[in-house]
Amino acid sequence: MNRIAYINNQPHAFHEGETILKFVKRVTGQEKIIPTLCDAPNLDPFGSCRVCSVDVALEEGGKTKTMASCHSPVAAGQYIYPDSKQVKKLRKNIMELVLTDHPLDCLTCEVNGNCELQDVAAQVGIREVRYPEGKNHLDRTKDLSHPYMTSDMSKCINCYRCVRACDEVQGEFVLSMAGRGFDSHIVKGNDLTFMESDCVSCGACAQACPTSAISDVFQSKAVHTEETTRTICTYCGVGCNLEVNTANGEILSIQAPYDAQTNGGHTCLKGRYAFKFYNHPDRLRSPLIKRNGKFEEATWDEAYTHIENELNRIKAESGPDAIAGISSARTPNEENYLMQKFIRAVVGTNNIDCCARVCHSPTALGMQRAFGTGAATNSISDLEHTDCILVIGANPTDAHPVTGVKIKQKFMKGVTSIVIDPRRIELAKYATYHLQLRPGTNVAMLNMMLYYIISEGWVDDEFVANRTEGFEALKKEILALDMDEMERLTGVDRNLVKEATKAYAASKAAMEFHGLGVTEHSQGTFAIQLIADLVMITGNIGKPGAGMNPLRGQNNVQGAADMGAQPHQGAGYLDVTDPEMNHRYNTFYKREVPSHIGYKIPEMFDAAINGDLKALWIIGEDVVQTDPNTNKVIKAMESVDLLVVQELFMTETAMRATVVLPGASFLEKEGTFTNGERRIQRVNKVVEPLEGTKPDGQIIIDMMNRMGYEQPDYTAKGMLEEISQIVPFFAGVKWDELGQNGKQWPVKPNGEDTQMLHIEEFKNGKGQFAFYSFSESKELEKYSKDFPYIITTNRELEHYNCGAMTRRTGNVDILTEDVLLIHPDDATKEGIADGEFVCVESPRGKVDIKALVTDEMKPGILSSTFHFPEVMLNIITSDEHCSEAMCPEYKVVSCRLRKSKGKFKQMAEASTVVTN
Amino acid sequence: MSKNLSELSGRGGIVDNLFEKMGNAAEKSGTVSQEELDRLAKEFLVGKANTYGTVTAYDFMKPENKGKKAYICNGSACLCAGTQDKVMDSLSEHYKREEIGHMTCLGRCHENSAFHIGGVNYSGDASQKMSEIVSTQGALQPKDAYNVGSNKELLTEAFTDVDAYYSIIHDVLKRSPEEVLGEIKDSNIRGRGGAGFPMGVKWDFCRKAESDTKFIICNADEGDPGAYSDRYLLEERPHSVLFGMMVGGFCMGAQWGILYIRAEYPESVDIVNAAIQELRDRNLLGDNILGTGFNFDFKVIKAQGAYICGEETALINSIEGQRPEVRTRPPFPAIQGLFNKPTIVNNVETLAAVHWILDNGGSAYAALGTDKSTGTKLVCLDSFFNKPGMYEVEMGTSLRTVIDDFGGGFKEPVKAMHIGGPLGGMVPVSKIDDLAIDFESFSTNGFLLGHASVVCIPEKIEIIKYLEHLMEFAAYESCGKCFPCRLGTTRGQEMFAKAINDENYKIDRDLLNDLLDTLQEGSLCAHGGGIPLPVKNALHYFEDELSQYLA
Ligand SMILES: Cc1cc2nc3c(=O)[nH]c(=O)nc-3n(C[C@H](O)[C@H](O)[C@H](O)COP(=O)(O)O)c2cc1C
Ligand code: SF4
Ligand code: SF4
Ligand code: SF4
Ligand code: SF4
Ligand code: FES
């Protein structure tokens, strides 16, 4: 077909489906050539403001029709006149009407100078309002109820951008228009304040609003900004790009760039609003050395000397294996690389691990076993190409919010969707199938699914024959299983499982996501391998819209493992015990690196308690609050001679340190984070490190040099140069070439990156099938008789892990405490009312926590979080861990319940008085 | 026009319908309680803001409607007739002022004095029996009477009985959908809902759209004051409408026929439901009808009082329980309509013609009327005629014939007729002899045939007052989505009101013209886009009368 249309009588080719607005913008290269008000980059065209109108004729100079360009597709042969006299007049007349109901006090308005209404008014050249004074909405009052979101509806022009952002981007439906005609007005919920509404503070509406009608407390649309720096969010593994506005070296606000591939103009409240921790008074500002049980401020030199002496002493007395390091998945790749290098090449031990241990170590191990690579096989953008989404043991709308809402958008639009989770999480409400299994029975569930695929003949035979090994053995084992037993174990109707499995197997491209609900189990690695079986048996890998995609928890947990912050593999996942690899490391580091595997985190704690480990260096991780069995972790912390903690805040772990070193936050340093889809993105320094603090990489480098290892001062560029020489899949990664959206590894030496893995063949040649049968967690075997409830831990949107950062932001006013989710039947049985304190006791200890009665849980199953030190939920979690990867079993904890006594009872009573 | 909301609402299918549940919940008290709204929001996963946003947009569900016990018609015909003050007086004897609401046109334009109590419409001299009506609450259901006549009976043909009427369905279902659709195309019938789009072409779009689920909707939201021809068909010829929908469903592969009937026509709802039951009793509905493999069923959705729901995309939003706001096109409903599925919306009168077309052949239909406007048209005449009523005339029949031969001429001096609803043209009596009942005759003369309802503006009513009433209607019924109409109709109404009430104020002609052009050119739909037509007609034909208000 002839795809030519004319703009001011000049012919131009247009794209299929292109709107007139896009066409004219593209051809002229002028973003603002046609004014718009209701249009927004990340929203569907809506057609309410009509200021984008253009004249369109069917022949040159012919009779014209006025059309709104934002939602009218271009048609062949159209003669488009974007600035005819009539449309200019029309636009001006529309703007005049708008101004009849808009306050004329621009000079005092928050967004003066950066207001789309102002811009368009100026563009159309409006000078006066000729209408006599009439009805208006100028007397509407402001809503300042919320820690972040604000509104001043007298400034509203009814463009619906906020409503659409809340719907099309966030999928929360907090906002709507209400009333009709001239009376129509924006409401939050059923006419509530922001604070009373179900708003999740993502800020999408504030960013979308063209005026100051909806904004935020940081006034992020105001023009007081001097500089804008693009960087990457420090919280979760989605890796959202942020635009940080600063003036006078201070951070004013954060917005989301529309061109970011990870988040396209969106964030969650953590990325956009939870930044005020960075200069919080609680920030550590000086090194501290504990003397006689008390911290004393010290100079950097004193602290370094103290550490150096201690490390040398311990190394001399007990050997390098008496020293261990825990690197931080919150810090950039470069710093992780340095930490493991320090421990390996300078200290001389493989005792290095990171928090990947407690989250996705089974994923890395299991996927390596099956495919050869322990990372997401596809990209989040594959959601555009999928027709089935399977979410196992993950609650992404809370834990990976921006990816979570992308998944939710798909669920809402009716893509076949399956959720396997003990809890009726947000996504489960929208899913086609929810398999609400008993915690700890993932393996049984996956066995069932494999059983139906094989027994019903839903296997992708071609894929299995060409790309995999071990199918026959798997088949034999699977077909021998007893579905009655599996049904009983999982507690899920087999027909439902069968139906869901069929939907997964029958789809053209099915995409799998999983989270800690799979890994944090004694059979975590096995479950991962069974998921890999499921993916391979249906041929759902190596193609768009498919794959196996772990939702990596922390912002750089992928990177921390990539960089070798683990005891059995060095930088780039090379096996430390392999002589050839060992040789490579030795040559590269110019030091002898040991070739025996070091301690994993739980082993470090054991070694500390039994006296084998004397020194531990922890960067940015609060193991006391977040690792399981708190009392044991505390004991471990107290057992070592030297505990160095590099931190932003005085966490529960830092309190127990012998030396505390004040590190710098992500806003104060440069480097790269690797998100859950292997995307290496540039973290750019926004402000200088707070006085008294140092970037963590520089701290390590200082120590390396002091201990006789020459390492040049920290620059992200220099570090990447070094890393690219030892980490094979970083071969082509260069600081200056990462661009705005980063690159997905493996990056070839020529700089080409990789969106999808295993297209033609697996990293390890053929995909490996493996069978594992269900075995009950030892925790339940040992304790379920006396501790009949199962508690499973989870995360809340508002807080991040130990909450050291988020609790020092406005988030804490939104979610103020950890609570215990409990089914109404259980609550009745135990005589517990909503909001009352409950004492939850496990074989390890007990905690008191407020009950939230909800049918999100099944009877007998409880759930809670460990964001707040006031509760310290990990006091009750267990020591059990994945038999293969040593990932702790946070998800299955035996416990019993009773109403709290003493002070908690009083606290509950006091708080109900307040809320009443 | 949220795709998410369409999809979520569609999960319950048309059977478990959000909008219907809201309507039912509002039945008793006049509005939906907060708790119920929140419960529905949770059930349908659409959020509290949306259930609230929706009910506040409907006259019969919004919070202000709470406790309303009686409604008085404020449609143009009743206003011009000047009957409503008296009705209000007698209503006021029984109800407090705040218990009396408005309904805009009960379709009793032929005898006026219309009001509504307890689900029943009254008109004519009913208000004289107000005490009895109020005390017996629904026991008294006087049927209104109006003349029906024709110079070519298609739609008004006598109805014998259901079995005889549906005897041709056997043959129809045995033919291929393409063939049946061919007849419709041959007939050249154009939509009677206002836009005049060829029905065959529209059906073909939908037929070609790929989807296992499709819908055909009958637009029975006849909101134009002055029009009651759809009401006639729904109440007197319901099977014509149902038959047409069934055939439509067959042609395009739709499984559901939905009748969206305005709440102001309670009798229509009952009669249509009874007619559907007659089909069910005869096994003409459900799966595998007559063993042909054709599955089809009906659902009646009762509207809740919003004129804009007559616009097809607002109507679709309404059925979904969304706010009745107009959607942008594309996507056209035939491709992506109700619950994001291919959907056809047709007017009652358009659908009612299908039976005759299939019985007599498309070309027989095409032979009637004019070249471009084939078939017949129903025309409604209000009480200013000596013989008010609903007349079926062959397209091309002169307006003079309609007025004099059918209507028997005017009862009292009339200066203009507002033809085709509020968005139709204002025809001065001087133009009567230039016009014939067909689309082209009206449009070439600068008017609009529309639904062909005729509301007379008597000599005694000042044009400026009529214009103010019109703008008030336009503003009140604006969905509020697009800027020109949301703001412009209100500003227009304010200007006319000020000109009437403030003798020092004169409307700036340029400003008024700018406003009318802005509405006409800039509005998203034909509501804002259409309202300038009668105003411009008035400015043109009644310059002498209006000039005192203009500067
Ligand atoms: C403001 C407005 C009101 C409308 N009201 C009605 C109505 O009451 N009945 C109707 O059938 N069509 C009405 N329409 C037209 C419908 O949008 C649609 O074109 C029609 O139902 C299609 O049916 P048809 O093709 O059979 O005419 C209205 C349109 C607008 C813009
Ligand atoms: S902040 Fe997010 S959730 Fe809250 S109203 Fe705005 S868009 Fe909706
Ligand atoms: S609050 Fe802002 S985004 Fe929402 S309708 Fe008003 S002006 Fe538009
Ligand atoms: S926490 Fe995750 S989802 Fe939220 S802004 Fe940061 S990277 Fe994005
Ligand atoms: S013209 Fe009026 S009724 Fe039509 S979309 Fe615009 S505001 Fe709504
Ligand atoms: S930008 Fe096109 S109507 Fe608003």
Side-chain angles (χ1 to χ4, degrees), chain B residues 77-83 383-384 411-416 456-466 545:
Chain B
C78 280
L79 282 191
C80 286
T83 53
S383 62
F384 281 97
K411 252 187 221 153
E412 61 173 280
V414 159
K415 57 181 159 192
C456 294
I457 305 172
E459 285 287 1
K460 63 183 184 229
I461 289 194
E462 272 189 84
I463 291 291
I464 187 100
K465 293 223 168 106
Y466 190 81
E545 196 187 317

Side-chain angles (χ1 to χ4, degrees), chain A residues 50 135 160 167 179 190 411, chain B residues 2 11 38 323 325 494 522:
Chain A
R50 320 304 289 173
K135 286 198 277 182
Y160 291 72
D167 168 352
N190 43 35
F411 275 36
Chain B
S2 158
R11 291 190 175 187
D38 292 356
R323 287 171 52 74
E325 286 164 358
E494 285 170 348

Side-chain angles (χ1 to χ4, degrees), chain A residues 841-861:
Chain A
E841 187 180 2
S842 84
R844 271 76 50 187
K846 56 188 178 192
V847 297
D848 289 273
I849 183 168
K850 210 184 251 182
L852 178 78
V853 179
T854 165
D855 59 4
E856 271 178 34
M857 307 307 301
K858 271 191 170 178
I861 314 296

